[in-house]
Amino acid sequence: MLRRSWTPTAIAVVLTAVVAVPALGPSVGPVSWWVLLLVFAGGLLAESVPLHIEFGRQTWTFSFMDLVLVVGLVEMGGFWTAVGRFAAMAVALSYQRYTPPKMVFNLAVGVLEVAVAAVVIDAFPAARLTDPRAWLYLLVALVCAGAVGTVLVAVAITLTAHPPGWDFWKATVGPGVALPVLGVGIGIAGLLLLQFTIWTLVVVLPLVAAALVLFRQTARVNRERRSLQQVYDFARQVEEVSSDEAGVRQIVVAVRELLNADRVALWLPPYLDQEPRLVVDRAGGAAPWYDGPSDPDDLIRRLAVDPQRGGPVLVSLPRATGEELTALQRRDAQEVLGAPIVTAAGEYGYLEVCDRQSDVVSFESGDRAALDSMLTHVNAAIRQQQLLTRIRYDADHDALTGLPNRQRLAVEIDALLSAEPGEVRAGLVFASLDNYTDVTDTLGHAASDELLLVTAGLLREHAPPSALVARMEGGQFAVLLPGLSLPATERAARRLRDAAATRARVAGLDLDVLLTFGVAAAPVHGDTSGTLMQRADVALLAGHSSGGVASYHPVLDQQSLRRLQLGTELESAMAEKQITVVFQPIVDTRTSDIVSVETLVRWAHPRYGNVPPDDFIGLAEQIGRIGAVTDYVLDLALERCRRWLDQDIALSVAVNLSAKCLAEPDLVDRVRAALRRHGVPGSLLTLELTEGIVVDDSVRNSTVLADLHSLGLRLSMDDFGTGYSSLSQLRQLPIDELKIDKSFVLGMSTSQSESFIARSIVELAHNLGLRVVAEGVEDEVTRDLLAEMGCDKLQGFLVSRPLPDDRLENWLLARTGVRSAAPGAPHRRLFVRS
C-alpha cells in the first residue's frame, strides 16, 4: 500500500521537475514583497476552505487558489508565484492529517500548475493588463493548469484505488472551469482598480471575501448534495437486501461504503430462536473481528445505547477522556461513531463505525444529517428483517410453547433422512398428556395451557441435547432423536416418561404430569416424515393400554383401521340398531322405591363384537358425531319412559351428557323437542353431567344449564369427588343431585377414609339442598353404611346389573311390586320387594 501511495507522488515530482525547472526561471527584476506576502496569505486562506473529494483511502482537495494565482502571475511572474504558493501549501498541509506521500504530491502538483500557467502565458503575445486579450490568456492559462492538476489526481486515484467514475468528473470539471473564471474576473478587476488608488482595496477586499464565502458555500452545498445522493443510494441498497443472514452483512457493507469507513460492526441481541449476532466488515479484506462491539460493558457501546443520550456518540482521539482513550486503543482506532439500533422487539442493538479511510476528512467534519438518515434506514431494514423472521418463525412454531410445530417437525425429519437415504438412523417419539382434556374440562384452557408449558419445559430439560422437541396439537408433543436406533429410542422414551412423571403447581393445585409415549424409528419404520409420524401416532394410541410406552408394530395398523371403521360406521350402526341401550335401576334408600333407571349405551359390532363405550363415545366426540349419539340414546330412554307412563307407572330415566354436547347451540331445543315428541314430562328426565363439565368456565359462564333446568328436568353431577369443584361453584349451579363416584363407594366396607369421604359428600350435598346417589353399591354392609349416613339413592350390582330392555322387564316382574300413587301424585311407583 505504501509503495502504491508513493507511485503517483513520484510521477508528479518528476513531471514538475521536467516542466517547472525550465519554465520557472528566477525572476531578474525586483520583487514586490507585499505582493509576495499577499500571495502567501491568500494561498494560506484558500487552502483553509478546500473542497474535499474522497475516493477510498484517498482524499483530493480543490481550493479558490485561482484568484491568488492571477495576482501573483501578473505582479511577480511564475517563479515567485510558485514560491508563495509552495510556502502557503506547506504551512496549511502541515496542520492537516495528510500522509507524507499525499503532502509531497500536493506540493508538486501546486508548483506544476503554476509552471503550466506560466508556460501558457508565455506562449501568447505580450499584452497589457488593460487589453482584454490578456484576460483571455490568463483564463486559458489557469484552466489548463487546473486541467493538468485534475488529470494527475485522476492518475493517482487510478494507481492507488480504481479508475474514477463519472461522479469524479462531475465533481471536478465544474469547479475546474467556474473557479478560474471567477478568480480571473475578480483578480483583474482588483488589479486594474489598484492602478488608480490604494483605496481600491476598500472595494476589492469585500469582493474577495464575498468570493471566498461563495466558494465555501458552493463547496458545502456540493458536499451535501453528494451526501444526500449517497444516502439515497444507500436507502435503495438497504431496500434490496435479502431477508436472511446475508442481508445483515449487506447492510453492514453498505454502511461502510457510505461512510468510507475502515471498519463497521453491527451487534444484534437475541431474537426468537436466533443467538446474538456480531457482523463486521473491514476495508481491504483485513481480519474482520475486533474487540468492543460485542462487549456489553464497553464504554462506547454503553454510551450509544443509553436511552438518556438519545442518539449516536462520537469518540475521537483528540478529545478523548481516559476511559474513551482505552476504548479507542482496544479497537486500534482514531475515532469511533457508535449508534443505537432499535430492533423489532424494542431491544437495543449497536452499530459501530471505526475510522474514515480518508486521511483528511473525519466523521466530525462529515455531514451528520447524512449519518442520522443512514441510521433511520438501518433501523428500518433491521426491523423489517426481524419482522420477516417473526413471520417465518410463527409459521413453523407453536404460539404457546415456542416449540417447532408439526410442519417444522416434518421438514426437519425429511432433511435428516434425506442426508443418506436408507442409512440414517433416527427415532421419533410422540408423547400425549393424558390428563390434558380433563384439566381443560375442569379448570379451563388457561390451566391446561399452564400445564402444557410445564410439560414442554420438562421435555426440553430431559431430552438429549441433539433432540428436537416439537408440539403437535392439543396435549401432544414429539421428540426427534437423530442417530438413535429403535431400541435406543425406546430406552430414551422410558427415561423421558420417568423424568417427566412429576407433580406441577397449576391453577393453585398440584397436578400430575402424566405422559403416554409412542415410538417409531427410521429406517425400520419408514424413511419419510409422513410415514414415520403416522406410525408414531399409531404407537401412541397403543401406549395407553401397554404401560405408557409402545413401539410401532404392523399389527397396530389393524387397531387403527378398526378405529377408523368404527368412526365411519357409527351412523349406520344406529340406523341398524347395532347400538342399543341397557338400564340400571336406582332405588330410594329408605323406601326401596325404584325412582329411576340410568341409560347406558352399548355397541354389538358384527365384526369386532362388543365395543366398549369408552372406545366409541370418545371417537364420536372427536369426529363431531356425539350430538347424534346423544339424541339417539335420549330417544330410546324417553321411549322406554313413555311405555311405563302408558302403564301408569312413574319411572324416571337418566341419560349421560357429553361435554361436547353442552357446547352445541341447539342442545336445549333438541331436548325440548324430544320430550314433546315422546310426551314425557321434564320431571321424568335426569341429565347426568361429569364434575369436570359442570365446573368448566365456559359452561358456568353460559346459560345452558339454567335453560335445561327450566324444562323441568333434573341435573345430576356424576362421578363427584374425582374432580376439582368447590362449594362456591356448586352453589352457583342449578344442580339437583350428586352421584358419589364408585371409587369411594367400593372401598367403604374396608376403608375408614373412603367411608369418611362418602359421609362428607352426603353432608355437603344436604347442606346445599341436593340429593345424593351412591353408585357402585355391591354389598349389604355398604348399603347399610350409606343408609346410616342419610344417602338418598343407591345404584349398583346389589340392586341390579345394567339390563337390556327385555331382561329389565323380566327383572321388574320378578323383583318389584307396584305401589299405589301417593296422594297428589298422578302415577304409581315400583318398589323392590325384599
Side-chain angles (χ1 to χ4, degrees), residues 95 132 209 367 370 415 426 454 474 531 581 613 792:
Y95 284 98
D367 192 342
V454 171
T531 303
V581 294
D792 302 291

Side-chain angles (χ1 to χ4, degrees), residues 616-637:
F616 67 87
I617 292 298
L619 179 61
E621 289 180 333
Q622 290 182 5
I623 64 176
R625 302 305 300 156
I626 189 61
V629 174
T630 300
D631 292 346
Y632 176 79
V633 173
L634 184 61
D635 275 333
L636 293 179

Side-chain angles (χ1 to χ4, degrees), residues 512-527:
D512 291 321
V513 179
L514 305 173
L515 291 170
T516 298
F517 288 82
V519 175
V524 62
H525 292 151
D527 56 4

Side-chain angles (χ1 to χ4, degrees), residues 441-690:
D441 292 344
T442 305
L443 300 177
H445 290 285
S448 60
D449 286 349
E450 190 176 345
L451 184 60
L452 286 173
L453 289 171
V454 171
T455 306
L458 288 171
L459 291 175
R460 276 186 291 203
E461 178 183 356
H462 297 291
S466 61
L468 173 69
V469 181
R471 184 191 173 196
M472 309 302 280
E473 61 275 320
Q476 188 170 316
F477 295 85
V479 183
L480 177 62
L481 301 164
L484 295 192
S485 62
L486 177 59
T489 304
E490 291 173 340
R491 291 193 295 271
R494 290 189 176 89
R495 286 195 298 269
L496 273 176
R497 188 171 190 269
D498 293 339
T502 184
R503 294 179 69 83
R505 191 74 175 176
V506 175
L509 299 172
D510 290 328
L511 302 182
D512 291 321
V513 179
L514 305 173
L515 291 170
T516 298
F517 288 82
V519 175
V524 62
H525 292 151
D527 56 4
T528 65
S529 61
T531 303
L532 207 60
M533 292 167 70
Q534 183 265 334
R535 291 179 172 175
D537 213 1
V538 169
L540 181 62
L541 291 174
H544 293 284
S545 57
S546 58
V549 178
S551 296
Y552 171 80
H553 191 278
V555 72
L556 298 178
D557 286 331
Q558 297 300 318
Q559 297 181 10
S560 297
L561 179 62
R562 170 179 178 270
R563 181 178 176 84
L564 180 62
Q565 287 182 325
L566 290 178
T568 58
E569 295 174 3
L570 196 59
E571 292 284 354
S572 60
M574 291 187 288
E576 297 172 6
K577 302 299 182 182
Q578 294 176 17
I579 295 180
T580 59
V581 294
V582 295
F583 303 96
Q584 186 171 28
I586 301 173
V587 301
D588 186 287
T589 306
R590 292 181 297 102
T591 64
S592 295
D593 286 355
I594 302 178
V595 293
S596 181
V597 292
E598 181 175 5
T599 310
L600 305 171
V601 64
R602 298 290 186 266
W603 187 354
H605 196 279
R607 182 183 305 171
Y608 301 125
N610 292 325
V611 180
D614 289 343
D615 286 359
F616 67 87
I617 292 298
L619 179 61
E621 289 180 333
Q622 290 182 5
I623 64 176
R625 302 305 300 156
I626 189 61
V629 174
T630 300
D631 292 346
Y632 176 79
V633 173
L634 184 61
D635 275 333
L636 293 179
L638 293 177
E639 180 185 353
R640 174 71 266 192
C641 184
R642 179 69 256 177
R643 292 208 305 269
W644 282 321
L645 284 175
D646 292 341
Q647 299 173 22
D648 197 28
I649 295 175
L651 192 55
S652 175
V653 290
V655 176
N656 290 283
L657 203 59
S658 165
K660 300 289 186 181
C661 290
L662 288 176
E664 296 172 343
D666 61 342
L667 173 64
V668 177
D669 293 336
R670 291 181 0 236
V671 173
R672 182 187 293 111
L675 290 170
R676 290 176 179 174
R677 186 166 57 250
H678 294 283
V680 174
S683 59
L684 293 181
L685 174 63
T686 300
L687 295 180
E688 296 190 359
L689 315 168
T690 63

Side-chain angles (χ1 to χ4, degrees), residues 746-752:
L746 290 172
M748 283 180 57
S749 60
T750 57
S751 172
Q752 187 175 1

Side-chain angles (χ1 to χ4, degrees), residues 345-466:
E347 297 182 277
Y348 279 112
Y350 175 56
L351 178 69
E352 180 173 289
V353 186
C354 284
D355 289 341
R356 222 176 174 108
Q357 291 190 70
S358 167
D359 52 4
V360 176
V361 181
S362 67
F363 292 134
E364 187 172 12
S365 61
D367 192 342
R368 298 300 293 270
L371 301 183
D372 290 340
S373 298
M374 174 268 296
L375 290 175
T376 300
H377 292 296
V378 171
N379 273 307
I382 294 299
R383 285 196 293 268
Q384 180 180 355
Q385 281 209 323
Q386 291 188 332
L387 288 175
L388 291 173
T389 301
R390 162 62 72 179
I391 292 172
R392 290 194 296 267
Y393 181 89
D394 290 345
D396 55 15
H397 283 78
D398 173 55
L400 175 66
T401 62
L403 296 175
N405 58 17
R406 175 184 289 274
Q407 290 77 16
R408 175 69 178 275
L409 176 66
V411 170
E412 294 291 339
I413 294 174
D414 286 333
L416 179 64
L417 298 183
S418 62
E420 297 179 23
E423 298 182 9
V424 175
R425 296 191 304 178
L428 181 62
V429 177
F430 274 14
S432 175
L433 191 56
D434 295 344
N435 53 344
Y436 172 74
T437 301
D438 292 338
V439 172
T440 303
D441 292 344
T442 305
L443 300 177
H445 290 285
S448 60
D449 286 349
E450 190 176 345
L451 184 60
L452 286 173
L453 289 171
V454 171
T455 306
L458 288 171
L459 291 175
R460 276 186 291 203
E461 178 183 356
H462 297 291
S466 61

Side-chain angles (χ1 to χ4, degrees), residues 17 71 139 158 165 191 211 223 251 300 323 368 456 583 604 616 669 742 774-775 798:
V71 174
L139 178 60
T158 302
L191 290 173
R223 183 173 64 250
I251 294 174
I300 301 178
E323 288 184 286
R368 298 300 293 270
F583 303 96
F616 67 87
D669 293 336
K742 62 183 178 182
E775 56 182 347
L798 180 65

